[in-house]
Amino acid sequence: MYLYLGSYPRTLILITSPSEERDGKPRKALVFRAGVNSTQAVVEFLPKDEVDLLNVVRLTQRGVKGCLGMISVENELFLAVVTSAAEVGNTRPSETAPEAVARIHEVAFYSLTSSLWDDIDAVSNVDSPDRDYNNPQAYEHPCAPLSKIISSGTFYYALDSSWDLSSRLTRRLARDPKTFNDIGTFDERFVWNEYIARSLLDFRERLDPLERDDFDRCQFIILTIQGYVGVFSMALPAPPTNGSPTIATLSLISRLGWKRAGTRFNTRGVDDDGNCANFVETETLFGTDQHCTSYVQARGSVPVFWEQQGLQTFGQRIQITRPHASQPAFERHFVHLTEEYGPTHAINLLGTKENEAILSSAYDRHLRIARAGLGDELSITHFDFHSQVRIGGHDSVMRELRRMEAITDHVDSFGFTMCDTSSHDLITNQRGIFRTNCLDCLDRTNFVQDILSRTTLEQYLLLVRREWIHSNTLWLHHRELWAENGDALSKIYAGTGALNTSYTRSGKRTLAGVFSDATKSVSRAYINNFQDKAKQTAIDMFLGNMNSQRQVTIFDPIHDSVRAALDKRLPEYSHNKRCVIFVGTWNLNGRAPSESLIPWLFPRDSFDDPDMFVLGFQEIVPLTAQQIVQADPEKRRIWEGKILETLDRRHQKKSDYVLLRSEQLVGTALMVFVKSELTAVIRNVEATTRKTGLRGMSGNKGAAGIRLQYHDTTFCFITAHLAAGHANVEERNMDYRTIETGLHFLKGKTISSHENVIWLADTNYRIDLENEAVRTLAESNSFDTLFAADQLKQAMDAGIAFSGYEEGPLLFRPSYRYDLGTDNYDSSEKMRIPAWTDRILYRGLQLDLSAYSRAELKGSDHKPVFAVFRPSIRIIDPVKRAALSRLLLDSVLHTEPGEKLDDKLASMVLPEDFHSNELPPPSSDEQTWWDTPDLPNGVLPILSFNSHLYRHSKNPFEEDSSVDSPLSSSPSSSDEELYSAAIMTPDRTTPVTRKHPSPPPIY
């Protein structure tokens, strides 16, 4: 097809070429124009003869392969098209319809809103020798980083859109014949351009059936996977009764998941939805004119919350960031796997070195707990790959794995999928999956997956053609495919080819291979530390993960009306609940715990147990040169332990707490503790830091931030230590501005991205009065006079710092500075002026401050300050929202002539008998809804489930569900999935059924 540009108004037109016409159908055109803003387009699907081509210019001489979608970048709307691709091969040549795959080599982004970029190539511009580096913005195409990623040679698509490259053979065979060749049916976990193609897919869905058939025939939309596809065809010996050889095809397809996509040091572990980093589904396909065999494996990062911060060299530092709050996400991950693939056997290849041992131990601990709900569907084998290689070399790995009973038993029980080539009848079905991991899930993992693939393929050959097991050609191609697969996946995640590929290719370890691996290791260290952050940003932009991004929509007045009406009716599909958040800040002066923390953490008996404690510390370590260069985390761990001990041993304990997340920047530390039962509904937890000392180079001053989402409400907590010195007001103001604008979380989120923001800090703002006057006024509790001279109040009143923030009334004495161990203000030689340096400020409509004071502890030269908030937490019911959306859409489609649409939408209500879930009666002061005789304190013993009752997969919201859930309903879809999946394990004795793809978005 060809791409044309029209100027008045600016229009991009895709037109099928004469050679692409089929069955005598007329040529078609897809016309794109910009809408009212940079995230809206107007699209028309027309016969070519109805398009005015008099004033257009053809943009690509070679033509284009298809359209990837539309994306808004820097307030401009771009159309992404594939301009160059090469065929890899046909993965199933015996099929009547070809299943050929192409690799993308080049993409182009054309603006719908501006002609500024028409003469600038988004690909060649990136590293052009003619580029003016003194003014890089003058020549760099806004989509250059995106183009560089997509043109890297790791993206693939089906040459014929009638077959689905994103889905393994088992999924495709289980489909309804009506949707077998439907481009809208795909495995959304692996389609990387789903975000930018969604508007076009929705546009396609709204066409009538005949138009949709024409649209599909034109193959305007390309759906692409990232990973690796390799194909080899070979002639294998025929049986003695037939002299002609058998043509067999060996293919390898690796599909990299995009839901937690990113680069090596920037994306580790799991997210709250159970998606893990570097998750890859790899399918080995072997086909002849009689049978097609498929064998599927998976790899993925250890599914707990862990990361690697700072400069990483060869001794990698691993931090498990939420050690006590990973279990819900861990279980979600394995529930997804068992639902999708059946029983799962994990192979953990981590070693016994300190960092890997910590991660391996956490993996094993979480898995033992998860087995309480999943039972025999989940198991694990620990295999120290590096230790085995040191003992017996790489050759010994295969021998040892094949000797391990747990591995061989699961190879036999899982089997493989085999179907008849001519009839597509399923002969056998794979009944489980191996999930292999090492630290990066690259080199060691690829090596072991190669062995498992060969082992299973040998099992198949023993059944059909025993003599083929001895074919050198077959195993040579098999090794080559796995070596190329390892290189491709490693380049995506780590920036270089895989290690050990020389052995994978040849079966031998050579000196050249050793030197090659050493070179790759050095290159990885440089790329991952210094280049990958920009690549991570481009990946997030391509996937729509940036906080400020808005998805492109196609002008559709019907759905626009529904979306607007739905936004106005938020209270109808959501409700609010009150929670309690305790916030505290304390400058410790480098001191260890020396007294009870009860007066600070539980200042009043009348307070309800907080849902969470958010505690900020300054000078948790002495601010020495050694600590500034490399801060010691041990002091932070001591304080974490002391706080957990206080929460656990307090009088009349009602709740258990766990450490959700902590973060440290030299002496500044921030900790969040939450009720253990809330870890499943507190999501998207991230931490970051920002230095402000020595103009941003030193961490002796600065801030640590933690953001999270509690149900459907976002919070950002910042603890900071601003510039000291009575007269250094402007330096403190500058520190605030640096933190407010420069504290960045992942995916472009900043402090202002959150609904509720709370600062708990040693602000170091002083009182502009004489020392004696301040002491006298403080001792007489004359706070109004002191507050009038407070530097922070003056900065806020002038709008210089903390503009838009609020603070509770200062009805307590200044918290700084005291003689250690006393309640006496500083009597040292410096005689520092008392001040309210320790402050808690907040911004957010949901925040309701109910207490603001200080605690009379004496373990530091500051007094700890605390505030208690009772925010309103929003909980959206996704089932009600979907039902209301459908109701509003139906009402729009059936509007009578002359009927006012706004009035009709406003009058539509859900039926009175509609229930997204059967809810218990509301709690009262005497009784809570979760505390019943059958479930004291709301605790549900997982072992009490009879697993045979839950061997079917049903919607937990259906009224005829055979199980009434005793658990509280989770507010978000992923939590509902965890609940339904954890107790409703599907029956694996029947063939795996195809999941439906994501529907068009609900507005």
Side-chain angles (χ1 to χ4, degrees):
M1 65 186 69
Y2 298 102
L3 181 64
Y4 295 85
L5 171 65
S7 301
Y8 303 105
R10 186 171 176 83
T11 306
L12 291 172
I13 308 165
L14 277 172
I15 300 180
T16 57
S17 65
S19 62
E20 293 174 325
E21 292 188 73
R22 298 175 185 173
D23 304 323
K25 300 277 186 176
R27 295 173 69 184
K28 294 285 186 174
L30 196 60
V31 182
F32 299 85
R33 290 192 299 274
V36 295
N37 55 50
S38 62
T39 61
Q40 187 186 79
V42 178
V43 178
E44 295 178 280
F45 178 51
L46 302 168
K48 179 244 183 187
D49 296 338
E50 296 183 17
V51 180
D52 182 8
L53 298 178
L54 292 178
N55 297 306
V56 300
V57 177
R58 199 165 111 185
L59 291 175
T60 55
Q61 296 302 315
R62 294 175 297 171
V64 299
K65 309 300 180 182
C67 174
L68 290 173
M70 294 179 286
I71 188 169
S72 178
V73 181
E74 295 182 6
N75 294 319
E76 290 198 46
L77 180 58
F78 291 91
L79 178 70
V81 294
V82 177
T83 55
S84 177
E87 183 173 349
V88 175
N90 191 345
T91 60
R92 296 177 68 197
S94 299
E95 289 296 303
T96 54
E99 296 190 355
V101 181
R103 180 192 293 116
I104 296 175
H105 289 301
E106 189 175 319
V107 296
F109 289 83
Y110 292 100
S111 175
L112 284 169
T113 53
S114 170
S115 61
L116 181 63
W117 311 107
D118 287 353
D119 298 323
I120 298 179
D121 191 328
V123 179
S124 61
N125 164 251
V126 175
D127 300 307
S128 171
D130 299 325
R131 181 175 169 189
D132 181 3
Y133 283 91
N134 293 322
N135 188 11
Q137 296 301 322
Y139 291 94
E140 183 166 302
H141 193 290
C143 299
L146 302 179
S147 185
K148 188 173 183 179
I149 289 173
I150 306 170
S151 304
S152 61
T154 59
F155 284 85
Y156 300 82
Y157 68 95
L159 277 175
D160 189 331
S161 60
S162 64
W163 84 280
D164 176 19
L165 177 60
S166 70
S167 299
R168 64 190 187 277
L169 181 64
T170 304
R171 264 190 171 227
R172 291 188 280 132
L173 292 175
R175 280 185 190 152
D176 187 322
K178 295 179 181 178
T179 61
F180 192 82
N181 295 326
D182 185 358
I183 189 177
T185 304
F186 54 84
D187 190 336
E188 52 92 25
R189 297 176 300 161
F190 304 121
V191 175
W192 273 65
N193 63 319
E194 197 268 348
Y195 172 77
I196 66 173
R198 173 46 56 195
S199 57
L200 285 173
L201 291 170
D202 292 344
F203 173 82
R204 171 192 172 274
E205 286 295 321
R206 294 194 287 267
L207 298 174
D208 66 54
L210 291 178
E211 279 189 311
R212 192 181 308 142
D213 289 342
D214 270 353
F215 188 89
D216 292 346
R217 174 183 57 80
C218 297
Q219 298 186 184
F220 285 120
I221 302 177
I222 285 177
L223 297 181
T224 180
I225 68 167
Q226 188 178 23
Y228 172 74
V229 179
V231 181
F232 279 117
S233 291
M234 68 205 83
L236 296 176
T241 57
N242 189 339
S244 61
T246 298
I247 304 300
T249 302
L250 180 65
S251 306
L252 194 66
I253 304 175
S254 279
R255 306 173 179 98
L256 175 63
W258 60 265
K259 292 194 173 183
R260 185 162 173 75
T263 54
R264 186 182 177 208
F265 288 155
N266 294 297
T267 310
R268 295 292 206 184
V270 73
D271 67 13
D272 288 282
D273 294 318
N275 305 305
C276 70
N278 204 21
F279 179 80
V280 184
E281 175 191 273
T282 301
E283 181 177 24
T284 306
L285 285 166
F286 183 78
T288 65
D289 57 354
Q290 292 183 328
H291 303 123
C292 183
T293 303
S294 162
Y295 179 65
V296 176
Q297 303 177 69
R299 68 175 73 183
S301 186
V302 174
V304 298
F305 294 107
W306 66 281
E307 60 187 39
Q308 291 175 276
Q309 293 184 349
L311 186 67
Q312 300 290 327
T313 54
F314 302 103
Q316 299 173 8
R317 299 185 301 277
I318 292 172
Q319 179 187 7
I320 299 179
T321 55
R322 292 156 67 180
H324 306 291
S326 290
Q327 196 66 39
F330 183 93
E331 292 180 3
R332 285 189 190 105
H333 174 72
F334 279 103
V335 165
H336 293 335
L337 282 185
T338 54
E339 280 191 329
E340 184 66 41
Y341 302 105
T344 301
H345 186 78
I347 301 178
N348 174 34
L349 305 177
L350 293 173
T352 54
K353 291 183 179 178
E354 180 184 0
N355 283 318
E356 290 197 1
I358 292 171
L359 197 56
S360 188
S361 175
Y363 193 0
D364 189 63
R365 184 174 65 255
H366 282 80
L367 192 133
R368 285 200 306 270
I369 297 172
R371 286 195 57 163
L374 292 172
D376 294 337
E377 298 240 312
L378 181 59
S379 53
I380 192 169
T381 294
H382 297 281
F383 182 81
D384 187 341
F385 184 95
H386 286 324
S387 176
Q388 184 60 46
V389 170
R390 282 194 298 271
I391 294 170
H394 286 80
D395 292 335
S396 68
V397 174
M398 178 183 288
R399 292 196 304 270
E400 288 303 314
L401 286 174
R402 290 186 170 184
R403 288 174 184 169
M404 300 180 75
E405 187 175 339
I407 301 293
T408 57
D409 286 351
H410 283 96
V411 168
D412 294 338
S413 64
F414 290 166
F416 48 83
T417 295
M418 181 169 66
C419 70
D420 185 274
T421 299
S422 56
S423 65
H424 294 165
D425 290 339
L426 192 65
I427 300 172
T428 63
N429 194 16
Q430 186 173 338
R431 297 174 297 277
I433 193 171
F434 284 100
R435 182 202 189 276
T436 310
N437 74 273
C438 51
L439 189 66
D440 300 318
C441 303
L442 296 176
D443 316 312
R444 289 174 277 180
T445 297
N446 198 73
F447 193 96
V448 170
Q449 286 193 325
D450 175 18
I451 294 170
L452 295 174
S453 173
R454 174 165 181 158
T455 302
T456 304
L457 190 53
E458 286 175 351
Q459 283 194 339
Y460 163 73
L461 296 178
L462 285 172
L463 294 175
V464 294
R465 292 288 173 84
R466 184 179 293 267
E467 66 273 17
W468 288 353
I469 291 180
H470 306 292
S471 170
N472 290 331
T473 303
L474 173 60
W475 300 122
L476 177 65
H477 289 326
H478 187 272
R479 286 198 302 268
E480 183 66 23
L481 286 173
W482 276 98
E484 292 293 330
N485 179 70
D487 278 341
L489 296 178
S490 180
K491 286 174 183 175
I492 294 169
Y493 192 55
T496 72
L499 310 183
N500 301 323
T501 50
S502 62
Y503 183 89
T504 305
R505 282 189 170 89
S506 64
K508 299 177 182 179
R509 187 70 167 160
T510 64
L511 183 60
V514 172
F515 280 124
S516 175
D517 288 349
T519 302
K520 290 174 185 175
S521 296
V522 174
S523 297
R524 279 185 185 180
Y526 176 79
I527 291 169
N528 301 156
N529 281 296
F530 301 109
Q531 294 183 350
D532 275 354
K533 288 197 174 177
K535 182 178 177 182
Q536 181 71 51
T537 301
I539 292 171
D540 288 332
M541 186 187 302
F542 180 47
L543 297 174
N545 290 335
M546 300 301 288
N547 184 67
S548 58
Q549 259 185 297
R550 291 181 58 197
Q551 193 168 26
V552 173
T553 60
I554 293 175
F555 175 67
D556 177 8
I558 292 177
H559 287 77
D560 289 346
S561 299
V562 171
R563 186 187 300 111
L566 203 59
D567 290 343
K568 293 178 181 178
R569 300 174 66 166
L570 176 65
E572 295 182 39
Y573 53 85
S574 68
H575 67 278
N576 295 330
K577 79 164 188 176
R578 286 284 179 184
C579 74
V580 179
I581 298 178
F582 179 97
V583 178
T585 180
W586 193 8
N587 186 313
L588 297 172
N589 194 26
R591 305 286 174 171
S594 60
E595 57 192 319
S596 172
L597 302 181
I598 291 290
W600 181 35
L601 302 181
F602 297 95
R604 300 176 190 172
D605 294 336
S606 60
F607 284 165
D608 296 331
D609 277 4
D611 289 50
M612 68 178 77
F613 286 86
V614 182
L615 305 177
F617 297 98
Q618 303 79 40
E619 296 187 41
I620 200 169
V621 297
L623 298 182
T624 62
Q626 180 180 356
Q627 290 288 351
I628 291 172
V629 172
Q630 185 172 4
D632 180 13
E634 188 58 33
K635 280 284 187 71
R636 188 192 77 238
R637 296 191 188 111
I638 292 173
W639 276 98
E640 289 170 356
K642 176 65 175 179
I643 294 163
L644 284 171
E645 178 186 349
T646 302
L647 297 176
D648 186 56
R649 296 185 179 182
R650 70 191 185 281
H651 182 59
Q652 295 180 339
K653 185 181 79 167
K654 299 177 183 177
S655 305
D656 292 318
Y657 290 88
V658 297
L659 174 63
L660 180 72
R661 187 70 162 90
S662 65
E663 186 69 9
Q664 182 176 355
L665 173 68
V666 188
T668 304
L670 182 60
M671 307 171 191
V672 178
F673 302 83
V674 303
K675 289 182 177 178
S676 56
E677 63 266 26
L678 296 179
T679 55
V681 294
I682 297 178
R683 309 157 58 79
N684 301 320
V685 182
E686 299 172 25
T688 189
T689 59
R690 186 68 165 91
K691 298 175 182 178
T692 60
L694 296 178
R695 298 182 179 270
M697 294 185 292
S698 172
N700 64 313
K701 293 292 188 287
I706 293 178
R707 60 94 52 198
L708 55 87
Q709 182 176 325
Y710 184 8
H711 286 296
D712 295 292
T713 303
T714 57
F715 290 87
C716 179
F717 304 103
I718 306 106
T719 189
H721 197 186
L722 305 186
H726 191 101
N728 294 331
V729 179
E730 183 53 35
E731 284 81 354
R732 286 189 276 276
N733 295 339
M734 289 178 60
D735 283 354
Y736 159 75
R737 289 192 291 269
T738 299
I739 296 167
E740 181 74 16
T741 59
L743 191 76
H744 293 286
F745 297 94
L746 297 176
K747 302 174 182 177
K749 292 186 288 291
T750 62
I751 293 175
S752 61
S753 304
H754 301 83
E755 298 166 275
N756 303 285
V757 181
I758 300 177
W759 284 68
L760 46 152
D762 180 353
T763 65
N764 258 321
Y765 285 98
R766 309 304 171 90
I767 297 173
D768 283 332
L769 292 175
E770 294 296 326
N771 196 337
E772 191 60 37
V774 172
R775 292 170 183 253
T776 301
L777 291 169
E779 290 173 2
S780 63
N781 296 331
S782 300
F783 301 138
D784 289 345
T785 306
L786 290 175
F787 186 54
D790 179 65
Q791 292 176 349
L792 177 55
K793 176 186 180 300
Q794 294 167 357
M796 292 176 69
D797 290 345
I800 299 172
F802 292 96
S803 177
Y805 286 90
E806 300 179 61
E807 184 180 19
L810 289 170
L811 302 178
F812 54 89
R813 292 182 179 180
S815 57
Y816 166 88
R817 175 179 184 179
Y818 287 84
D819 291 336
L820 193 64
T822 73
D823 289 325
N824 303 321
Y825 283 116
D826 183 20
S827 61
S828 68
E829 183 180 347
K830 293 184 178 181
M831 287 285 288
R832 293 175 179 84
I833 302 174
W836 284 299
T837 58
D838 308 286
R839 311 287 275 269
I840 297 174
L841 301 103
Y842 61 96
R843 183 186 71 214
L845 297 177
Q846 290 95 348
L847 293 174
D848 179 16
L849 180 66
S850 62
Y852 186 34
S853 188
R854 76 176 204 182
E856 301 305 320
L857 300 186
K858 302 176 183 179
S860 173
D861 56 359
H862 290 245
K863 299 294 184 182
V865 172
F866 67 87
V868 178
F869 295 92
R870 298 182 181 273
S872 177
I873 303 299
R874 183 174 60 255
I875 304 174
I876 293 176
D877 186 329
V879 179
K880 275 190 175 181
R881 189 178 192 275
L884 182 58
S885 177
R886 287 192 296 268
L887 182 67
L888 295 174
L889 181 59
D890 290 342
S891 70
V892 173
L893 295 176
H894 296 90
T895 301
E896 299 295 333
E899 190 174 8
K900 290 186 177 181
L901 182 58
D902 289 345
D903 293 342
K904 183 171 184 179
L905 290 175
S907 66
M908 299 303 298
V909 295
L910 287 170
E912 291 184 3
D913 59 351
F914 176 84
H915 299 287
S916 63
N917 201 4
E918 292 298 330
L919 297 177
S923 301
S924 65
D925 293 337
E926 292 76 25
Q927 183 176 0
T928 53
W929 60 264
W930 58 84
D931 189 1
T932 65
D934 295 333
L935 304 167
N937 297 319
V939 176
L940 176 68
I942 296 215
L943 292 174
S944 67
F945 284 119
N946 289 321
S947 60
H948 70 276
L949 293 177
Y950 306 105
R951 295 248 172 216
H952 59 286
S953 181
K954 298 187 73 173
N955 186 344
F957 301 104
E958 290 177 355
E959 293 184 2
D960 63 346
S961 175
S962 60
V963 182
D964 291 329
S965 168
L967 293 174
S968 60
S969 176
S970 177
S972 57
S973 59
S974 57
D975 295 323
E976 293 157 357
E977 291 165 7
L978 172 62
Y979 160 68
S980 60
I983 66 172
M984 301 179 184
T985 308
D987 189 349
R988 292 298 166 193
T989 61
T990 57
V992 179
T993 57
R994 169 71 165 93
K995 287 187 178 180
H996 295 294
S998 298
I1002 298 168
Y1003 302 112

